Amino acid sequence: AQTVTQSQPEMSVQEAETVTLSCTYDTSENNYYLFWYKQPPSRQMILVIRQEAYKQQNATENRFSVNFQKAAKSFSLKISDSQLGDTAMYFCAFRRGGTSYGKLTFGQGTILTVHP
Amino acid sequence: GAVVSQHPSWVICKSGTSVKIECRSLDFQATTMFWYRQFPKQSLMLMATSNEGSKATYEQGVEKDKFLINHASLTLSTLTVTSAHPEDSSFYICSARDPSGRAPYEQYFGPGTRLTVT
């Protein structure tokens, strides 16, 4: 079974600064996907960024980027130029590849607060 | 594209009654939908995987007779909480896959339903 661990229950950052959220996972699979989701106070889950395990290049989406270390099974999220709207709970998630309806395994979540 | 809706967004029911929550894929056909439960400031816990036209697959520890899931069409899955009790109060979230979409491995989430049992 896969496990996903987020060791930072809460983080805070000043507006315009950079913050990194940590995530580690454990799997024996070689084909899988990793995701970061954001859940703002509205509680709508929003996909922030995805990474296919077979891709060596780290994914980037505007101010969001990941540091994917496959051998270390680490998948951290870097948020640059933090904005007040980034305040949310962030979840790291794992999905096996090669299955028709693979389920997501979520980490415990990290509550991020951006201060003005 | 890839929008998922849930109805109702918020429901209060009396202990012992049943309540139904709907999850719809608005602009795609979802062969697979997922139901999650979330307590405040906690992670999402997968309850069951729902495949159109077949029985749902429940996660270990989830009572099948209490949480009835029906996926009768490619755009609708329902979760019925039977004989609800205060401990069933929670936030329920559904998600759906778009198998014909650009990223068929992704899940698209509904906005969630807050259930309060009094």
Side-chain angles (χ1 to χ4, degrees), chain B:
Chain B
V3 178
V4 176
S5 70
Q6 277 185 245
H7 178 79
S9 57
W10 182 47
V11 59
I12 301 175
C13 71
K14 291 185 182 296
S15 186
T17 63
S18 296
V19 61
K20 180 184 287 187
I21 302 170
E22 293 185 347
C23 176
R24 292 182 185 274
S25 56
L26 299 185
D27 51 2
F28 65 98
Q29 294 186 326
T31 52
T32 304
M33 290 183 170
F34 303 86
W35 287 95
Y36 297 87
R37 183 174 182 176
Q38 185 183 32
F39 292 105
K41 295 190 176 181
Q42 293 189 24
S43 189
L44 281 70
M45 182 195 80
L46 180 66
M47 300 174 66
T49 302
S50 166
N51 290 299
E52 187 267 339
S54 63
K55 290 184 178 180
T57 302
Y58 290 81
E59 294 298 302
Q60 193 171 7
V62 178
E63 298 177 60
K64 300 178 184 181
D65 295 333
K66 182 164 190 60
F67 299 99
L68 300 179
I69 291 173
N70 184 281
H71 194 159
S73 79
L74 286 172
T75 59
L76 174 65
S77 176
T78 60
L79 167 67
T80 301
V81 183
T82 62
S83 186
H85 291 285
E87 57 265 29
D88 298 323
S89 298
S90 189
F91 193 67
Y92 293 87
I93 305 174
C94 74
S95 69
R97 280 184 59 246
D98 179 2
S100 63
R102 182 174 60 89
Y105 49 82
E106 281 190 26
Q107 291 185 24
Y108 301 95
F109 287 84
T113 297
R114 182 182 303 278
L115 170 63
T116 301
V117 184
T118 61

Side-chain angles (χ1 to χ4, degrees), chain A residues 32-108:
Chain A
Y32 53 87
Y33 304 92
L34 295 165
F35 306 87
W36 277 99
Y37 284 92
K38 167 185 177 180
Q39 188 180 40
S42 68
R43 304 190 78 171
Q44 170 73 59
M45 294 288 284
I46 301 166
L47 177 64
V48 175
I49 200 165
R50 72 174 79 83
Q51 175 81 43
E52 293 90 340
Y54 63 85
K55 290 185 177 179
Q56 292 187 334
Q57 188 172 6
N58 288 326
T60 299
E61 288 286 344
N62 301 312
R63 298 183 295 108
F64 299 88
S65 61
V66 298
N67 183 1
F68 173 47
Q69 301 289 326
K70 191 172 183 179
K73 295 179 182 173
S74 170
F75 183 61
S76 62
L77 173 70
K78 186 171 82 170
I79 306 174
S80 303
D81 186 25
S82 297
Q83 300 176 359
L84 296 178
D86 295 333
T87 293
M89 192 160 189
Y90 287 81
F91 294 98
C92 177
F94 171 100
R95 182 201 186 277
R96 285 173 56 196
T99 59
S100 61
Y101 59 86
K103 56 188 180 183
L104 290 172
T105 300
F106 286 93
Q108 302 92 324

